[in-house]
C-alpha cells in the first residue's frame, strides 16, 4: 500500500470517476485509487446494474443522476461536487473501467502541484507503453487532427479520460456536450480560456473488458456531428 | 445555373446559418411565425388560383408547379430539423442542470446524515439506503 502519507496532501484532491454500468470493474478501480487518493467521487449516470453500491462499498462518495445524461454531464457534476469542497485544489478525471493507471494520475497531480500548468492532459501516444489497436489508432489520430485544427490546442491524444486540473481550471470550464463530444469540448474550452496546459504520457490498459465496454468506433461519427453542430 | 438552383442553395445556406446561430429568443419565434403566415397565404393563393404556382415555377425555371412545392417542402423540412435540434439541445441542457442539482443535493443530505450517525455508531453507508430509495418517486 502506498498510504496517504506518501502522497503529500491528498486531502486537497478529488478524483472524479464518471460511472455507468461498470459494476464488475468499479469496485477494484475505486479501491486502487483510494490507496493514493482518499477522496474519490463516482458520478453514477443512472446505472441499473448496482454500480453505485459497488462504488460506495469500495469507499467512494457517490453522486447519482436519476436519469442517464451522458459522460460529459457526469464529469460536470463531478466538477461541481469538487468545487463545493472549499479545500479542493486539484481534480483528476479517471475512467471507471480500469483502463487508467493510478501512478499516472499521481504523477499528473504532482505536475500541477509544481505549478507547471493549470491542466495536465493524459496522452497514450507520448511513449510506446500503450498498444493501441490499429483501427482505433487511425480514428484517434483523426480525432486529434480535427481537435487541433478547431481548438488551436496542439495535443497528441484528444480522447483520453485521464486528466488533472487545478481548481481554477475546473471553475473556468462548463461542459455542455453531455454525451461523448465533451472530450474535444474540454480541450477547446481550455484553449479559449487561456489556461496553461501540458501533456503527460500515460498508459492505457486495453483489457478484454475495457475493449468490450469501450465506445464503438461508429460512435466517433456521433462525436463528429455533435462537435460540428455545437 | 438556373434561378431555382440558386434560390434553393441560398435557402439551404440560411437553414445552415440558423442552425449555427444561438437559439431561441423572442425574435426567432417572431420570424418563425411570420414565415408561417406567409406559408399560409401561399397555400390559400395556390388553392384559389391553381395556375399561379405553375406561373411562378415557370418564371423561376422549374418545369411544374408541383416540383416547386416539393422543393419548398424539402427546404422547410430541413429548417424544421435544424430548429428542433437546437431546441432539443437547449432542453437537454436544462434537464442536465436539474438532474445535477438533484444529485448533488441528495448526496449532500446523505453525507450529512451519515456523518451525524457516525457520532454515535461506526455505521457504514448501507443502512441509510433503504429509506432514501423509498422516498424517491419511481422513474
Amino acid at each position: 500500500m502506498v498510504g496517504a502519507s506518501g502522497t503529500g496532501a491528498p486531502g486537497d484532491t478529488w478524483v472524479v470517476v464518471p460511472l455507468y454500468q461498470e459494476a464488475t470493474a468499479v469496485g477494484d478501480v475505486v479501491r486502487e485509487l483510494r490507496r493514493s487518493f482518499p477522496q474519490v467521487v463516482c458520478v453514477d449516470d443512472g446505472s441499473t446494474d448496482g454500480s453505485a453500491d459497488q462504488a460506495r462499498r469500495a469507499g467512494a462518495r457517490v453522486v447519482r443522476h436519476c436519469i442517464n445524461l451522458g459522460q460529459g454531464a457526469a464529469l460536470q457534476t463531478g466538477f461541481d461536487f469538487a468545487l463545493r469542497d472549499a479545500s479542493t485544489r486539484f481534480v483528476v478525471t479517471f475512467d471507471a473501467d480500469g483502463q487508467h493507471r493510478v501512478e499516472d494520475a499521481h504523477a499528473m497531480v504532482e505536475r500541477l502541484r509544481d505549478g507547471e500548468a493549470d491542466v495536465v492532459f493524459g496522452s497514450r501516444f507520448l511513449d510506446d507503453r500503450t498498444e493501441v489497436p490499429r483501427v482505433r489508432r487511425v480514428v484517434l489520430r483523426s480525432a486529434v487532427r480535427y481537435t487541433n485544427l478547431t481548438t488551436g490546442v496542439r495535443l497528441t491524444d484528444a480522447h483520453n479520460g485521464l486528466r488533472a486540473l487545478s481548481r481554477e481550471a475546473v471553475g473556468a470550464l462548463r461542459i455542455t456536450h453531455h454525451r461523448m463530444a465533451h472530450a474535444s469540448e474540454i480541450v477547446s474550452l481550455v484553449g479559449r480560456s487561456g489556461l496553461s496546459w501540458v501533456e503527460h504520457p500515460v498508459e492505457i490498459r486495453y483489457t478484454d473488458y475495457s475493449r468490450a465496454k469501450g465506445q464503438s468506433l461508429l460512435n466517433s461519427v456521433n462525436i463528429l456531428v455533435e462537435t460540428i453542430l455545437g | 445555373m438556373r434561378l431555382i438552383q440558386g434560390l434553393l442553395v441560398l435557402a439551404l445556406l440560411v437553414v445552415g446559418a440558423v442552425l449555427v446561430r444561438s437559439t431561441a429568443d423572442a425574435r426567432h419565434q417572431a420570424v418563425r411565425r411570420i414565415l408561417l403566415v406567409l406559408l399560409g397565404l401561399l397555400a390559400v393563393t395556390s388553392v384559389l388560383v391553381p395556375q399561379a404556382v405553375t406561373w411562378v415555377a415557370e418564371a423561376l425555371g422549374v418545369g411544374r408547379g408541383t416540383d416547386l412545392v416539393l422543393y419548398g417542402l424539402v427546404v422547410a423540412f430541413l429548417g424544421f430539423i435544424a430548429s428542433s435540434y437546437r431546441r432539443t439541445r437547449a432542453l437537454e441542457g436544462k434537464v442536465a442542470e436539474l438532474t445535477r442539482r438533484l444529485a448533488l443535493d441528495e448526496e449532500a443530505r446523505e453525507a450529512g446524515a451519515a456523518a451525524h450517525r457516525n457520532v454515535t455508531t461506526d455505521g457504514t453507508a448501507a443502512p441509510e439506503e433503504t429509506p432514501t430509495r423509498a422516498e424517491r418517486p419511481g422513474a
Side-chain angles (χ1 to χ4, degrees), chain A residues 14 18 67 77 80 85 95 112 126-127 131 139 142 144 148 153 160 167-168 170 178 192 196 198 221:
Chain A
W14 275 103
I67 51 174
T77 301
D80 286 1
D85 180 350
D95 286 354
L112 286 181
L126 283 182
D127 59 22
E131 296 270 327
V139 172
S142 319
V144 165
N148 288 349
V153 179
N160 197 310
R167 185 187 182 93
E168 294 68 38
V170 171
H178 300 141
R192 251 180 287 163
S196 60
V198 287
V221 176

Side-chain angles (χ1 to χ4, degrees), chain A residues 49-86:
Chain A
D49 64 347
S51 295
D53 292 337
Q54 295 295 335
R56 204 173 279 134
R57 214 162 292 153
R61 295 275 285 274
V62 175
V63 179
R64 288 205 57 152
H65 287 171
C66 51
I67 51 174
N68 178 251
L69 293 175
Q71 198 179 31
L75 279 177
Q76 184 60 54
T77 301
F79 288 171
D80 286 1
F81 177 90
L83 288 178
R84 281 188 177 193
D85 180 350

Side-chain angles (χ1 to χ4, degrees), chain A residues 6 16 33 46 50 59 67 82 85 108 131 141 173:
Chain A
V16 174
L33 266 171
I67 51 174
D85 180 350
M108 287 161 76
E131 296 270 327
R141 287 291 192 195
L173 300 179

Side-chain angles (χ1 to χ4, degrees), chain A residues 61-62 64 73 77 174 230, chain B residues 89 97 100 103 105 107 129:
Chain A
R61 295 275 285 274
V62 175
R64 288 205 57 152
T77 301
R174 194 82 211 159
Chain B
R89 275 296 306 269
E97 283 303 323
R100 178 168 300 135
D105 287 356
E107 201 282 337
E129 280 172 42

Side-chain angles (χ1 to χ4, degrees), chain A residues 171-190:
Chain A
L173 300 179
R174 194 82 211 159
I175 304 170
T176 59
H177 282 78
H178 300 141
R179 288 174 294 271
M180 291 309 291
H182 64 271
S184 315
E185 190 187 14
I186 292 175
V187 175
S188 102
L189 288 173
V190 168

